[in-house]
C-alpha cells in the first residue's frame, strides 16, 4: 500500500508570520493572513495562474489576523470573516480591503483564537452566523435579521460556563 505524499506545486516567500490560509470558494484564488514583526496585520489575496502565485490584493491593518473563515459567506460574495490579535471580529470583501464590510470592535478582551461560520456558501438556511473562541471565555454569535448586504443586524455575546 502506497503512503500518501505531499507534492509542492508552488511556493512564495513572504515577510510575515502566516496564521492562516484559505482557498477562496469556487475560484483559483487563495487568501493568506497573519501578523508582521511590528504587530500589524497582513491580508493578501493570491491567484494561481500558469503554475505561479500572483498577488492580486493586499492590505496592512492595525492588528494581526489570527484566524479566518468563509463559512458564513454566500458563494456570490466570498466574504472572509477574521479574528484578530486585538479582539476584533471583522468581515472583508476581498476585492476592497480598505475597510471591513462588518466589524465588531474589541468583541473579545484577548486574541480571537478561532472562528467558524454557517449559513453561507449555500449550506443551510437562515442568517449567516459566526462563532469565535478566545481565552476570555466569551463567544460572540452573529444572529438576527439581515440588512441589505445580507448580514445580521445584531451581535450577541455570551459567557461560556466553566
Amino acid at each position: 500500500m502506497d503512503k500518501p505524499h505531499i507534492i509542492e506545486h508552488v511556493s512564495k516567500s513572504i515577510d510575515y508570520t502566516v496564521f492562516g490560509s484559505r482557498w477562496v470558494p469556487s475560484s483559483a484564488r487563495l487568501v493568506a493572513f497573519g501578523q508582521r514583526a511590528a504587530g500589524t496585520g497582513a491580508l493578501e489575496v493570491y491567484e494561481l495562474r500558469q503554475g505561479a502565485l500572483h498577488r492580486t490584493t493586499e492590505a496592512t491593518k492595525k492588528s494581526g489576523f489570527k484566524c479566518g473563515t468563509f463559512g458564513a459567506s454566500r458563494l456570490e460574495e466570498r466574504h472572509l470573516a477574521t479574528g484578530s490579535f486585538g479582539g476584533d471580529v471583522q468581515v472583508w470583501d476581498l476585492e476592497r480591503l480598505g475597510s471591513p464590510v462588518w466589524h465588531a470592535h474589541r468583541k473579545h478582551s484577548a486574541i480571537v483564537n478561532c472562528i467558524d461560520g454557517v449559513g453561507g456558501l449555500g449550506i443551510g438556511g437562515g442568517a449567516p452566523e459566526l462563532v469565535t473562541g478566545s481565552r476570555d471565555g466569551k463567544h460572540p454569535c452573529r444572529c438576527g435579521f439581515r440588512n441589505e448586504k445580507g448580514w445580521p443586524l445584531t451581535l450577541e455575546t455570551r459567557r461560556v460556563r466553566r
Side-chain angles (χ1 to χ4, degrees), residues 27-133:
S27 74
R29 298 185 305 160
L30 64 95
V31 62
F33 51 86
Q35 183 169 312
R36 298 188 190 282
T40 57
L43 184 61
E44 297 180 321
V45 181
Y46 292 91
E47 183 176 42
L48 189 59
R49 266 183 294 165
Q50 300 171 339
L53 279 177
H54 300 275
R55 186 173 52 217
T56 60
T57 314
E58 67 178 311
T60 299
K61 300 299 175 183
K62 182 178 177 182
S63 183
F65 297 102
K66 177 70 170 142
C67 52
T69 183
F70 286 102
S73 175
R74 294 191 311 220
L75 190 57
E76 308 83 45
E77 295 172 338
R78 299 181 195 146
H79 288 160
L80 176 71
T82 60
S84 78
F85 279 82
D88 297 335
V89 178
Q90 299 168 314
V91 177
W92 301 94
D93 179 346
L94 298 181
E95 304 301 323
R96 291 173 280 288
L97 293 176
S99 60
V101 295
W102 185 86
H103 184 181
H105 181 67
R106 299 279 301 154
K107 217 47 196 160
H108 284 285
S109 60
I111 299 169
V112 180
N113 288 310
C114 57
I115 189 169
D116 200 6
V118 70
L121 301 178
I123 301 170
E129 295 179 1
L130 293 170
V131 62
T132 60

Side-chain angles (χ1 to χ4, degrees), residues 137-139 158-162:
K138 294 187 281 186
H139 64 89
R158 298 185 201 107
R159 183 115 182 124
V160 177
R161 293 184 187 167
R162 294 180 185 205

